[in-house]
Amino acid sequence: MGHGCCCDARQKVRVVDVDEGGAFAGFLYRCLASMPLRRYRSRLEYLERATADGFRKRLLIFDGSVVGQIEYAPARFSGYPIRGDDVVVMNCVWVLRRAKGRGFGKMLVEDMVRSEGDATGFATIALEDHWSPWFKRSHIEKLGFKPVDEIRVRHKAKHQEHAFSIWLMWMPVKEKASPPKWDKENLLEGVTFCLAHPLYRPQTWKGDILEMK
């Protein structure tokens, strides 16, 4: 992972790297959710693969408190089954409710784009009609991403009667950049890189956690 700090002295804002052994190392294994620090196996396995080549997690600090985060990696090391040449995939971006309205989400995305100068574009996922407040399509679109493809699914363990959409989102930054592709069947397995993710599949769950509608 790289080292760096993006600062705005006027607003007392810093964007810093999260590194093993650094002051914010605990955030490698947890996000901003109110959850205990756990070095769970699936996260450790993901970091072991991803940190070898391009994974970065950055925190936004405002008035001395961590209020935002962004996590991303080259497509081949992302937390999603998304692929593309010179495409960087954003695993997540999150700003705490108490820090909303200051443009911090956009600031984190712009910081990501600056840090990945060789990328042709950036991809992620978004959710629509999901009960979680995270990864909403409308929020991801405000950050500059556009929808490319959609699958309609339901969760096998939670709100089983409730169908929702998962969108592949794309933000090209180079002329003639080729949109990413995704493996929809693989996505039905859910994700394992983050306990707090709306599509998280518990380690004890057997088979796909999602199914097509």
Side-chain angles (χ1 to χ4, degrees):
M1 288 179 287
H3 299 268
C5 173
C6 173
C7 303
D8 186 333
R10 295 171 301 170
Q11 298 185 45
K12 300 179 181 177
V13 176
R14 293 189 296 147
V15 180
V16 300
D17 273 316
V18 179
D19 291 302
E20 190 70 68
F24 301 100
F27 283 96
L28 280 175
Y29 306 98
R30 67 178 180 89
C31 56
L32 303 186
S34 300
M35 302 175 69
L37 174 60
R38 287 177 52 196
R39 298 193 177 200
Y40 52 101
R41 178 170 53 82
S42 58
R43 178 66 175 180
L44 287 170
E45 290 173 351
Y46 172 67
L47 289 174
E48 188 174 310
R49 295 193 309 271
T51 54
D53 192 357
F55 170 91
R56 295 188 80 179
K57 184 167 186 177
R58 304 268 282 166
L59 301 177
L60 189 144
I61 301 171
F62 176 62
D63 277 347
S65 298
V66 176
V67 299
Q69 69 170 37
I70 191 168
E71 181 177 298
Y72 52 94
R76 64 188 179 279
F77 292 114
S78 83
Y80 305 118
I82 296 174
R83 62 186 185 275
D85 294 335
D86 299 318
V87 170
V88 170
V89 176
M90 182 177 73
N91 286 343
C92 73
V93 61
W94 188 4
V95 175
L96 293 178
R97 187 185 303 274
R98 61 186 171 87
K100 297 285 187 183
R102 300 177 183 271
F104 289 161
K106 192 74 170 178
M107 186 183 299
L108 284 165
V109 169
E110 290 172 350
D111 179 78
M112 173 180 68
V113 172
R114 283 194 302 270
S115 75
E116 300 297 319
D118 293 332
T120 61
F122 297 81
T124 191
I125 67 162
L127 304 178
E128 191 170 30
D129 300 325
H130 193 278
W131 53 90
S132 170
W134 302 332
F135 292 93
K136 284 186 177 294
R137 175 182 163 180
S138 59
H139 295 168
I140 301 299
E141 286 181 326
K142 287 179 181 177
L143 296 176
F145 292 84
K146 302 296 183 185
V148 173
D149 197 6
E150 173 197 18
I151 57 172
R152 192 77 177 168
V153 301
R154 74 173 186 87
H155 202 285
K156 290 184 177 181
K158 301 177 182 178
H159 304 278
Q160 297 176 19
E161 74 292 345
H162 190 114
F164 62 95
S165 293
I166 306 174
W167 289 90
L168 173 62
M169 307 295 287
W170 173 234
M171 182 175 64
V173 294
K174 299 282 178 68
E175 190 176 355
K176 298 182 180 179
S178 298
K181 306 291 185 182
W182 62 348
D183 185 334
K184 296 178 182 179
E185 292 296 327
N186 187 291
L187 189 61
L188 295 178
E189 296 178 6
V191 304
T192 58
F193 67 88
C194 175
L195 279 171
H197 197 289
L199 304 182
Y200 177 70
R201 186 189 79 238
Q203 294 176 168
T204 55
W205 184 273
K206 304 300 181 183
D208 295 345
I209 197 79
L210 305 170
E211 67 178 6
M212 293 272 200
K213 286 292 292 181

